[in-house]
Amino acid sequence: VMAGTLTGNGAGVTNVNATQLGGNVASFYQNAANLTAGTLNDARLSGNVALLDGVNTFSAANTFNTSITTPLIQSTAGLTVTGGTTLTLQSSGINSVSLDSGTTGAVNIGTGASQKTVTIGSVASASALNLRAGTGGISLGNSGIANTIQIGNTSGAVAQVINIGNNATAGSSSSLIFGSTVGTSPVTLQSGTS
């Protein structure tokens, strides 16, 4: 039986393979570019798509042009974070901010070639700054470049206490060395009225 036009809901028609549906051929409905409504299941997405509620691995460099809030960033190939204006690492509330290499790698702050000011600690309120090195020692200054190392304030009417080599207990011992034993190295210790 052949007919140019069928009317009705087609409920009794079987074994029919339509060449078009809604005026479109079958390949139209197999092309995701034609989706205009509904929600696509995550399983249908490419493995190259990052998911909000899943673990994502980025194998290429990515640039984020807005703020990022994350509890953890891990990188096996190195991590470079660059701020276009100001780069801020800040914890929420009373939580701490930790910078650590994890093993024996160095933690470098402000070691690039460009001239810059590196400030550690706050100039306001009761902020404590601790420099601790265990048995490795603490070095201030660069032995290869002439520079000035300043400890304490040189301007302003503020009272400061600078302690060097304070012993924690009577059994502790400290050796203090000022100046160099090589070349002309003057050492000047100055005091005001006390």
Side-chain angles (χ1 to χ4, degrees):
V1 177
M2 300 180 62
T5 303
L6 296 176
T7 59
N9 60 12
V13 179
T14 60
N15 198 25
V16 174
N17 187 9
T19 58
Q20 288 189 340
L21 179 64
N24 299 301
V25 296
S27 60
F28 176 88
Y29 298 98
Q30 296 174 330
N31 187 347
N34 297 320
L35 294 175
T36 58
T39 301
L40 191 62
N41 190 282
D42 288 351
R44 304 275 71 81
L45 297 175
S46 164
N48 200 40
V49 176
L51 301 177
L52 294 177
D53 61 347
V55 177
N56 299 283
T57 300
F58 297 94
S59 58
N62 290 267
T63 301
F64 299 91
N65 293 322
T66 186
S67 60
I68 301 175
T69 301
T70 174
L72 177 64
I73 297 178
Q74 290 181 321
S75 174
T76 58
L79 176 65
T80 300
V81 181
T82 303
T85 53
T86 300
L87 176 62
T88 302
L89 298 178
Q90 183 177 1
S91 66
S92 60
I94 60 175
N95 298 318
S96 61
V97 177
S98 299
L99 295 178
D100 195 351
S101 62
T103 56
T104 58
V107 178
N108 300 317
I109 300 176
T111 57
S114 301
Q115 180 178 345
K116 63 182 68 69
T117 299
V118 179
T119 302
I120 301 176
S122 174
V123 296
S125 69
S127 298
L129 174 61
N130 299 316
L131 297 178
R132 299 175 180 172
T135 59
I138 298 176
S139 299
L140 298 178
N142 188 323
S143 59
I145 301 176
N147 51 37
T148 300
I149 300 174
Q150 175 181 312
I151 300 176
N153 189 27
T154 59
S155 62
V158 294
Q160 290 186 317
V161 177
I162 300 174
N163 299 318
I164 300 177
N166 273 15
N167 292 328
T169 64
S172 301
S173 61
S174 297
S175 297
L176 304 181
I177 301 175
F178 294 90
S180 173
T181 58
V182 179
T184 304
S185 301
V187 176
T188 302
L189 298 178
Q190 294 179 322
S191 176
T193 58
S194 60

